[in-house]
Amino acid sequence: MQIQIICVGKLKERYWKDAVSEYEKRLSGYVKLKIQEVADEPAPDNASVKVQQAIQDTEGERITKYIRDRDGIVALDVSGSSLSSVEWSQEYTRLIGKGFSRLVFLIGGSYGLSHALLSRADFRWSFGPVTLPHQLARVVLMEQIYRGIRIARGEPYHK
């Protein structure tokens, strides 16, 4: 299975890069993984809803350039479904069974993903009501993809 993670913003700190590198290594035995970073827009404090939507739309256009017609889209979204790791593994199995050419995971910027991308998603996933910086969300996403695959394959994982 091919998996692509498209995320707004770059990893700057070494510790985030090291964590992502570790999960790239772990996932390499199971999937073909590609990470695509797109530029983020400046996110001013106290931005109006209109400005926030404009930022989401601009970042969304950058993301859309990397999405293909036959992709299965998983959007990280605070309003999405919160799942246990076992439930995520079941959802992952359901998604890969749909015959997509690849699964594409989307991580938005400070204001999240555009309405157009959320509408296109085959699954909207929330890591719960907490707010995570997108660098940490990327690491958590990769860890959960790895854990979900191991659960689906009946392999040991930390409970």
Side-chain angles (χ1 to χ4, degrees), residues 23-84:
Y23 282 103
E24 283 178 317
K25 184 174 73 177
R26 291 183 186 196
L27 284 164
S28 69
Y30 299 101
V31 296
K32 286 185 168 184
L33 175 70
K34 181 177 181 189
I35 298 174
Q36 180 65 55
E37 297 175 331
V38 300
D40 56 343
E41 287 292 296
D45 292 334
N46 303 317
S48 68
V49 170
K50 187 175 180 178
V51 169
Q52 290 179 31
Q53 288 174 338
I55 290 169
Q56 289 172 330
D57 290 342
T58 299
E59 292 172 345
E61 289 168 9
R62 292 177 185 147
I63 290 170
T64 300
K65 291 177 184 176
Y66 297 98
I67 297 175
R68 301 176 193 156
D69 289 339
R70 293 196 55 237
D71 288 341
I73 307 295
V74 177
L76 294 190
D77 176 27
V78 70
S79 298
S81 299
S82 292
L83 305 174
S84 69

Side-chain angles (χ1 to χ4, degrees), residues 5-159:
I5 298 171
I6 306 174
C7 38
V8 174
K10 293 190 178 292
L11 295 179
K12 296 176 181 95
E13 292 85 1
R14 181 86 230 142
Y15 50 90
W16 295 128
K17 291 178 183 179
D18 289 345
V20 165
S21 179
E22 175 64 26
Y23 282 103
E24 283 178 317
K25 184 174 73 177
R26 291 183 186 196
L27 284 164
S28 69
Y30 299 101
V31 296
K32 286 185 168 184
L33 175 70
K34 181 177 181 189
I35 298 174
Q36 180 65 55
E37 297 175 331
V38 300
D40 56 343
E41 287 292 296
D45 292 334
N46 303 317
S48 68
V49 170
K50 187 175 180 178
V51 169
Q52 290 179 31
Q53 288 174 338
I55 290 169
Q56 289 172 330
D57 290 342
T58 299
E59 292 172 345
E61 289 168 9
R62 292 177 185 147
I63 290 170
T64 300
K65 291 177 184 176
Y66 297 98
I67 297 175
R68 301 176 193 156
D69 289 339
R70 293 196 55 237
D71 288 341
I73 307 295
V74 177
L76 294 190
D77 176 27
V78 70
S79 298
S81 299
S82 292
L83 305 174
S84 69
S85 295
V86 171
E87 291 168 329
W88 158 245
S89 180
Q90 293 164 347
E91 182 62 25
Y92 173 80
T93 301
R94 183 188 75 80
L95 288 166
I96 62 170
K98 292 185 108 180
F100 296 117
S101 61
R102 62 187 184 156
L103 281 183
V104 177
F105 294 81
L106 307 179
I107 303 174
S110 296
Y111 297 122
L113 295 165
S114 68
H115 292 297
L117 287 173
L118 292 175
S119 296
R120 179 138 188 239
D122 296 284
F123 183 69
R124 291 166 56 177
W125 189 12
S126 172
F127 292 152
V130 298
T131 301
L132 300 175
H134 31 286
Q135 300 95 326
L136 180 57
R138 190 182 315 186
V139 174
V140 171
L141 171 63
M142 293 178 75
E143 191 281 335
Q144 284 298 296
I145 293 170
Y146 174 71
R147 184 180 299 265
I149 290 170
R150 289 188 54 96
I151 292 169
R153 292 171 56 98
E155 296 176 1
Y157 69 97
H158 293 301
K159 296 181 182 182

